[in-house]
Amino acid sequence: MSFKDQLPQDSVNTFLNTDEFAEEITYIPSGGPPKVIKAVIVREGLEPSSENASRSLRKQAEIYIANDDTDGVTAIDKKDDRVTLNDVEGTAREARINEVLASDNGMWHLMVGW
């Protein structure tokens, strides 16, 4: 078995293990039922939403989820998919997917904001 073949299994069994790094979130696909999946969440502080756009601030996080039909998702719709996760204070937030930062056979790396 090659590294590329082993990557999806390692993603779920190691990185997305709630006893190690991950926690549960709810992924809400466009037009589909919500799905509870495991994710590694890197929470960020306040960041400017964009240069000179009313100087507003927003909260954001990077999340890593499985690229898998059973343990994650196999397609991302940045426009309409949503994610429910806890912010740094522990409050549940519904976030939109701002950007797909990376993807491979094992994981999606997403930037979400609320």
Side-chain angles (χ1 to χ4, degrees):
M1 182 176 281
S2 71
F3 174 75
K4 188 175 182 177
D5 295 333
Q6 187 67 33
L7 187 60
Q9 292 173 351
D10 286 346
S11 296
V12 172
N13 296 331
T14 304
F15 299 108
L16 296 176
N17 180 342
T18 53
D19 291 332
E20 298 293 336
F21 305 108
E23 58 191 88
E24 289 186 336
I25 65 169
T26 303
Y27 192 91
I28 309 162
S30 172
K35 182 178 185 179
V36 176
I37 59 174
K38 297 175 184 173
V40 174
I41 303 173
V42 180
R43 292 170 177 87
E44 300 291 333
L46 291 170
E47 296 291 331
S49 59
S50 64
E51 289 186 37
N52 297 323
S54 303
R55 306 232 182 241
S56 63
L57 297 175
R58 64 186 167 133
K59 294 206 176 187
Q60 61 187 17
E62 292 181 38
I63 63 171
Y64 296 84
I65 58 175
N67 186 352
D68 180 81
D69 195 38
T70 304
D71 297 309
V73 296
T74 56
I76 304 283
D77 180 350
K78 287 184 359 181
K79 181 177 173 253
D80 295 320
D81 288 2
R82 299 290 186 264
V83 177
T84 301
L85 59 109
N86 291 331
D87 63 13
V88 282
E89 290 87 22
T91 304
R93 302 288 184 183
E94 184 175 291
R96 49 177 326 140
I97 299 167
N98 294 332
E99 194 63 51
V100 176
L101 299 173
S103 68
D104 57 33
N105 290 341
M107 307 266 298
W108 293 95
H109 180 192
L110 307 173
M111 175 69 70
V112 298
W114 58 93

